[in-house]
Amino acid sequence: MTRCYHGRVARIHEAAISLTGQATASKMRFRYPRLHARRAMTNAPSREPLPKTYDPSAVEERLYRWWESSGFFRAERDPAKKPFTIIMPPPNVTGELHLGHAARAAVQDALTRYHRMLGEAALWLPGTDHAGIATQLVVERALQAEGTSRLEMGREAFLKRVWEWVETYGHIIDNQHRRLGASCDWSRKVFTLDPGPSRAVRTTFKRLYDKGLLYRGERIINWCVGCRTAISDLEVDHADEDGSLYYIRYPLEDGSGHLVVATTRPETLLGDTAVAVNPTDERYAGMRGKRVLLPVLGRPLPIIEDDSVAAGFGTGALKITPGHDPNDFEVGERHGLPIINIMNADGTLNAEAGPYAGYDRFDARTAIVEQLEREGLLEKIEPHTHSVGHCQRSADVIEPMVSEQWFVRVEPLAARALDAVNDGRIRIVPERFVKVYTNWMENIRDWCVSRQLWWGHRIPVWYCDDCAHLTVAIEDPAACEQCGSVSIRQDEDVLDTWFSSGLWPHSTLGWPEATEDLAYFYPTSVMETAYDILFFWIARMVMMGLENMDEVPFHTVYLSGLVRDAEGAKMSKTRGNVIDPIEAIEKYGTDALRFALTIGTTPGNDTRLSDAKLEAARNFANKLWNVERFVLASLGDADPAGGDAGLAGWSGAALPRTHREDRWIIARTEQTAARVNELLGGWALGEAERVLHDFVWGEFADWYIELAKVRMRSGDDDPRRVLAYVLETSLRMLHPFMPFVTEELWQHLMARLPKEGDVPETIMLARYPLGEAAGGDDGGAVEEIELLIEVVRAIRNVRAEFKIAPGRLLDAVVSAPGGGLAEEAEAIRQLARVGTLTFSGDAPLEHAVRLVLPRATVTLALGDAVDVGAERTRLGSEAAEAERYLAGLTARLGNAQFTDRAPEEVVERERERLEQGTARLERIRELLAELGG
């Protein structure tokens, strides 16, 4: 569920709603293609030669249409298969894709694709939320622009208009999920106002009512004067604001003095019904039984004692306003105090406010303070910072207000939901959020579920005008169930959106009907969502799932973090640091966006996104593309149908294993697959991506391919099969994270290879590599090739540090245990640009640099390739500069004012710079020592 109403969404939607309610959808197709409109499948997958460069725009829409039209996303019930189920957290029907959606969709799709490739019946069930307040606001604003309102239209006409809007624009968020490559089973898509979920809502309401767990009563709720409705705690944003603390004198009724009360909201004193002190506060021991006179109105108020009063706040005396403060309401209930509501729905004061009736609440504050000053009842005003709640949609200050609403009695439901986590039936990832969940469940309050709106699930309660009986029913009744009168009217309010969302895991699968989907796919496997709605949505789903199904709704809760900018700051339009995901897709490609959003992330922690990270992810996709172009070129013009003998056994059955390089990369492929599966099983998706990235780029592309080139130039044909095997396996491992580029490359690769075994039509149905042979004997190949890489890398580093031209060969002597390196002499010569290479003795080399490695020693002759004197001078200058730089960093990090006050990410970045700079200085000093400096 999208929590915020975005201004850009409003502009898009409102501008497109015409006077008749018809929208100009054609104008939206440029950016949001209607991918669900079927076209001829003549070009998917492509059988043209692989282009020189990767162009995501030429691949993504074509592949997605083919995937969806071919039914690859559809989950079939199969008793022989283990089900894997994710129910998509339903985005608002008003929504437009933002980075939070994109990040969560990338995780959910990766999990779904992975389990589908494991052979499970993987269902990712999509849906959208009717978003009661947000949707009603969009349409109401459009009506306001037309000079009318929902009240003038009437309920039926207004709802017709909203449905027209939903039918026109409800597909936008779905098509944006398609842009992300979401492999949802669109045939099962659910809308919260569909007949099935609507019946589930009414069934749940009646069951709770019949059990005494749902009641109508007066309680304190969050009232938004802009939206004119009660709203949930989730829809309130709290922020610290600079305000004032007003110290007001309440005269004692007997004339013996006064009591001073501190408040941040002086206008609410008009609703006071008592003044409370702590019974242990000796300052007020003589006040027992006395009364004070309410300023402005002169109403006598009792002085009461209550343990909830904080003696240390203000003066220790607290004004009690049961109608406008949740804590005061509870005090009032304990002491039997009357409740006075001074507020109208629009934020003006009502008749209970006496002379201030009709005033706006904030104007009343100013006027009352002025009156208190005139009458000598304002002792002082102090600056005071306090938390103020604002409606997320209208930004109006929330007014706590007593109101007659429908409430769910949550405590018995919460107890079962807490037990489900404590006894392990539900696992929360990461585990640290269990404490937060527990704290909220143990301190939960009854849930206000009624909203003063028209758009949503209308409360299934009918009031009888003749006998005043309440009929609660699943089907619309024709008459009062008690007296039979037909003079009944339905409750005007609708239910909180979170009420229907709380039923999402089972209502989407058909409940309350005993459907086959419900029996097979419930409980679901995992619920992935943002950590900031753990209490409000996850907790409600657990409570409702246990109540309706007597079973947990999911086994795992995977909590994602927020997406921040490169500096760790929250993205916002005012900061100008917002990245539009659709623009990012068009610039970098979908796979790059998905990969950049998720690589290296951990559950429950925020992630940073920057153009640099997106570019790096795009570069990785391009690297894959170039790797495949090389591999295809190495395969030559082989005819797969003819069974090229040189490629037979490429899929692993008969791979060549005589050369250590082949044994190394085959072993590392299996080890990588085993590690990736281990990480995915532990919900470490970001780390799994990092492991894959490092293997594919850092081992396969950078080393094996380069080593293979050396051998193939000498006529060795064995690497061809190994190249095909590693690439194909890597594409399957990467597919859940980068679905488009891997599918395109896999199709081209499989078209060139002999068919071995059962080959599915798409990579998404291919078997995911498990790494079963990860523990096999590689004959020491991994250790030997790692030593080779270490030697080559060390020589390359020296060449780079001394800026030696690539064409200049350097002589080298390498000393290492065993004979493996000597057998790789040609590889070392070509990859490290070495001339004469020997593997024993201490051959005299001119101007030599000696490199002591953990398992080898390399002596490298610089000869006249380096001006030793000039290099000493250069390195000396660099060392001095590095020392000054490190001194500044050390001083900064040693300053408590910096480390205590600067943002944590800034301090951490400086520490990283200190660590990197220290390593660089040590290396400069090592080079100077080698040059005799």
Side-chain angles (χ1 to χ4, degrees):
M1 268 129 300
T2 307
R3 292 176 50 191
C4 297
Y5 173 76
H6 298 288
R8 65 171 176 168
V9 180
R11 289 194 297 274
I12 289 171
H13 294 327
E14 290 167 11
I17 299 177
S18 66
L19 290 175
T20 62
Q22 299 300 316
T24 55
S26 61
K27 295 180 180 179
M28 306 296 289
R29 289 179 187 144
F30 169 74
R31 195 172 175 190
Y32 310 111
R34 300 181 69 110
L35 298 178
H36 60 298
R38 300 285 184 255
R39 306 180 196 174
M41 298 294 112
T42 58
N43 58 342
S46 174
R47 288 293 180 260
E48 297 297 321
L50 193 67
K52 185 175 180 180
T53 58
Y54 178 45
D55 178 8
S57 65
V59 170
E60 293 174 358
E61 184 177 345
R62 167 171 53 80
L63 284 181
Y64 197 93
R65 289 201 315 267
W66 174 58
W67 287 338
E68 187 176 355
S69 66
S70 299
F72 297 144
F73 302 157
R74 183 164 178 79
E76 302 292 347
R77 297 180 299 274
D78 185 345
K81 288 185 176 182
K82 175 184 176 183
F84 177 82
T85 315
I86 295 181
I87 308 295
M88 177 187 288
N92 286 354
V93 72
T94 60
E96 186 180 44
L97 194 72
H98 58 69
L99 285 176
H101 284 132
R104 292 195 292 275
V107 170
Q108 292 166 38
D109 191 47
L111 289 170
T112 303
R113 289 178 184 269
Y114 170 64
H115 284 272
R116 186 184 290 123
M117 294 176 75
L118 289 178
E120 298 174 11
L123 169 63
W124 183 16
L125 195 153
T128 47
D129 194 292
H130 64 277
I133 296 177
T135 306
Q136 182 159 318
L137 275 177
V138 169
V139 180
E140 283 201 74
R141 287 172 179 171
L143 294 177
Q144 186 178 15
E146 297 168 14
T148 185
S149 70
R150 68 180 173 100
L151 297 176
E152 291 181 13
M153 292 182 71
R155 187 169 195 143
E156 185 176 346
F158 176 76
L159 290 179
K160 182 176 182 292
R161 179 68 175 269
V162 179
W163 274 110
E164 289 174 354
W165 184 92
V166 169
E167 287 165 4
T168 302
Y169 288 102
H171 69 273
I172 289 177
I173 196 72
D174 292 341
N175 287 342
Q176 289 177 331
H177 273 102
R178 288 179 167 94
R179 289 291 300 269
L180 281 169
S183 60
C184 306
D185 185 346
W186 294 106
S187 68
R188 286 181 165 94
K189 189 208 165 181
V190 181
F191 181 47
T192 47
L193 289 180
D194 282 347
S198 295
R199 185 171 184 81
V201 164
R202 285 194 170 192
T203 302
T204 301
F205 190 98
K206 179 165 174 54
R207 286 169 57 136
L208 292 173
Y209 181 81
D210 291 345
K211 288 184 176 183
L213 295 175
L214 202 151
Y215 64 93
R216 191 178 189 221
E218 285 195 336
R219 314 287 296 182
I220 289 285
I221 47 88
N222 301 309
W223 183 263
C224 175
V225 300
C227 300
R228 305 286 178 88
T229 181
I231 63 174
S232 69
D233 293 337
L234 178 61
E235 296 160 316
V236 179
D237 281 333
H238 289 274
D240 286 341
E241 295 184 3
D242 293 331
S244 299
L245 193 60
Y246 302 87
Y247 290 78
I248 303 171
R249 295 168 179 158
Y250 282 56
L252 289 164
E253 188 180 33
D254 61 10
S256 60
H258 60 261
L259 215 56
V260 178
V261 170
T263 181
T264 58
R265 302 161 66 213
E267 71 279 7
T268 62
L269 68 79
L270 302 171
D272 289 357
T273 55
V275 172
V277 298
N278 193 292
T280 63
D281 194 334
E282 293 299 326
R283 292 174 297 175
Y284 302 110
M287 297 291 184
R288 293 187 181 93
K290 291 190 175 184
R291 299 198 300 179
V292 294
L293 296 177
L294 178 64
V296 180
L297 297 180
R299 183 167 62 237
L301 307 178
I303 299 173
I304 63 174
E305 294 179 326
D306 195 274
D307 291 331
S308 68
V309 178
F313 176 78
T315 64
L318 184 70
K319 61 190 285 299
I320 302 300
T321 319
H324 294 280
D325 184 276
N327 295 320
D328 291 2
F329 181 84
E330 292 180 0
V331 173
E333 281 197 321
R334 287 195 292 272
H335 294 271
L337 299 175
I339 298 172
I340 299 174
N341 181 358
I342 64 167
M343 201 78 62
N344 292 316
D346 62 357
T348 60
L349 304 192
N350 60 28
E352 295 287 354
Y356 293 102
Y359 276 60
D360 174 81
R361 53 183 170 158
F362 298 118
D363 293 339
R365 177 180 298 179
T366 302
I368 289 172
V369 169
E370 290 174 353
Q371 180 179 346
L372 293 173
E373 283 185 301
R374 290 195 305 270
E375 296 177 358
L377 296 178
L378 185 64
E379 184 159 299
K380 62 179 177 176
I381 303 175
E382 290 182 346
H384 181 68
T385 301
H386 61 126
S387 180
V388 178
H390 294 261
C391 175
Q392 287 184 339
R393 291 172 176 83
S394 70
D396 286 293
V397 174
I398 289 301
E399 192 63 44
M401 184 187 298
V402 71
S403 177
E404 189 174 47
Q405 304 281 347
W406 283 94
F407 295 86
V408 173
R409 205 179 308 278
V410 180
E411 190 173 345
L413 303 176
R416 294 186 67 192
L418 185 55
D419 288 343
V421 171
N422 289 338
D423 63 24
R425 282 175 288 159
I426 295 177
R427 178 190 177 194
I428 296 178
V429 179
E431 190 176 352
R432 70 176 185 272
F433 282 96
V434 171
K435 184 177 181 180
V436 180
Y437 175 89
T438 300
N439 180 65
W440 192 75
M441 284 301 198
E442 290 177 345
N443 296 280
I444 200 166
R445 293 185 179 185
D446 284 358
W447 171 20
C448 175
V449 295
S450 47
R451 298 289 180 268
Q452 289 63 57
L453 303 170
W454 286 354
W455 173 248
H457 294 280
R458 193 167 177 180
I459 292 177
V461 174
W462 287 260
Y463 304 96
C464 180
D465 292 331
D466 292 332
C467 73
H469 178 73
L470 275 64
T471 299
V472 179
I474 297 172
E475 305 291 347
D476 288 8
C480 172
E481 65 181 1
Q482 179 163 291
C483 73
S485 171
V486 295
S487 295
I488 57 173
R489 49 193 170 77
Q490 189 175 357
D491 196 303
E492 293 290 326
D493 292 347
V494 300
L495 286 165
D496 178 12
T497 297
W498 296 95
F499 190 92
S500 55
S501 300
L503 313 178
W504 201 236
H506 53 283
S507 69
T508 51
L509 294 171
W511 189 89
E513 307 304 322
T515 65
E516 291 180 324
D517 271 4
L518 187 64
Y520 184 74
F521 290 111
Y522 190 94
T524 67
S525 305
V526 58
M527 176 54 68
E528 187 278 342
T529 191
Y531 63 70
D532 54 348
I533 57 173
L534 168 66
F535 339 115
F536 304 103
W537 186 42
I538 296 294
R540 283 168 168 78
M541 284 191 287
V542 177
M543 289 189 290
M544 294 301 198
L546 288 167
E547 174 64 24
N548 286 338
M549 297 292 297
D550 199 31
E551 197 168 6
V552 295
F554 27 71
H555 298 302
T556 302
V557 176
Y558 181 107
L559 297 174
S560 295
L562 306 179
V563 181
R564 299 181 178 274
D565 71 7
E567 302 301 320
K570 186 175 181 179
M571 290 189 179
S572 69
K573 289 182 179 178
T574 55
R575 288 193 179 98
N577 60 353
V578 172
I579 296 176
D580 185 316
I582 298 299
E583 291 177 2
I585 286 173
E586 291 169 352
K587 184 176 181 181
Y588 300 102
T590 296
D591 291 325
L593 174 64
R594 288 172 56 137
F595 205 72
L597 281 170
T598 52
I599 185 171
T601 59
T602 53
N605 291 325
D606 296 345
T607 186
R608 300 181 185 186
L609 186 66
S610 63
D611 286 334
K613 196 172 182 181
L614 286 162
E615 288 169 7
R618 179 180 59 188
N619 291 344
F620 183 48
N622 290 337
K623 188 71 173 181
L624 278 176
W625 195 266
N626 291 331
V627 165
E628 169 129 345
R629 291 185 68 241
F630 170 78
V631 172
L632 292 179
S634 75
L635 298 181
D637 298 323
D639 178 11
D644 183 344
L647 293 176
W650 70 266
S651 63
L655 285 172
R657 299 176 188 267
T658 56
H659 202 291
R660 67 172 51 83
E661 293 169 7
D662 297 334
R663 294 198 307 276
W664 164 68
I665 198 63
I666 292 169
R668 287 296 300 128
T669 303
E670 290 295 309
Q671 291 166 6
T672 299
R675 178 60 177 153
V676 167
N677 279 275
E678 178 186 8
L679 290 167
L680 291 176
W683 307 103
L685 279 74
E687 180 62 11
E689 288 173 273
R690 189 197 62 77
V691 167
L692 282 169
H693 174 277
D694 292 353
F695 168 73
V696 171
W697 195 321
E699 295 183 76
F700 180 43
D702 281 357
W703 292 103
Y704 182 76
I705 286 179
E706 296 307 311
L707 292 167
K709 288 177 183 177
V710 175
R711 291 165 58 200
M712 288 191 292
R713 280 195 291 265
S714 66
D716 188 344
D717 218 26
D718 281 353
R720 297 171 67 214
R721 279 178 290 167
V722 178
L723 286 166
Y725 161 75
V726 177
L727 175 58
E728 194 274 340
T729 304
S730 298
L731 291 175
R732 282 186 284 134
M733 287 193 286
L734 278 167
H735 177 72
F737 310 106
M738 306 181 82
F740 289 111
V741 69
T742 53
E743 178 76 85
E744 186 75 356
L745 294 176
W746 190 82
Q747 293 290 343
H748 280 274
L749 181 62
M750 298 306 289
R752 295 282 296 278
L753 293 172
K755 299 298 182 287
E756 296 183 355
D758 295 328
V759 179
E761 190 176 355
T762 169
I763 191 174
M764 77 173 68
L765 299 181
R767 176 178 174 273
Y768 198 84
L770 299 177
E772 295 100 331
D777 182 14
D778 59 44
V782 170
E783 185 175 342
E784 290 172 345
I785 297 301
E786 285 176 352
L787 177 57
L788 165 67
I789 291 171
E790 190 178 343
V791 169
V792 172
R793 185 176 284 135
I795 298 173
R796 285 176 170 177
N797 287 342
V798 170
R799 297 182 66 97
E801 285 162 345
F802 289 118
K803 300 178 174 58
I804 299 172
R808 181 64 182 266
L809 303 183
L810 301 179
D811 295 341
V813 176
V814 178
S815 176
L821 274 184
E823 295 174 8
E824 295 288 341
E826 187 59 27
I828 295 174
R829 274 193 289 268
Q830 293 200 33
L831 299 184
R833 306 297 294 145
V834 171
T836 301
L837 176 63
T838 57
F839 289 91
S840 61
D842 295 316
L845 298 174
E846 185 182 1
H847 294 145
V849 173
R850 192 164 181 264
L851 309 174
V852 180
L853 308 177
R855 294 181 293 164
T857 300
V858 179
T859 304
L860 196 61
L862 300 180
D864 61 357
V866 173
D867 184 333
V868 175
E871 283 302 314
R872 286 175 187 158
T873 302
R874 179 180 69 82
L875 291 171
S877 298
E878 288 186 10
E881 183 181 346
E883 287 169 352
R884 288 192 296 272
Y885 174 70
L886 291 175
L889 280 177
T890 302
R892 193 175 192 191
L893 289 169
N895 184 346
Q897 287 190 335
F898 169 70
T899 55
D900 292 345
R901 296 180 182 179
E904 183 179 346
E905 62 268 15
V906 173
V907 176
E908 184 59 32
R909 187 168 63 247
E910 295 298 276
R911 288 181 178 138
E912 290 173 1
R913 287 173 177 168
L914 179 63
E915 183 179 346
Q916 294 165 359
T918 302
R920 173 63 181 155
L921 179 59
E922 289 175 357
R923 180 59 183 149
I924 293 172
R925 286 171 175 167
E926 289 173 2
L927 290 172
L928 276 169
E930 290 290 339
L931 294 176

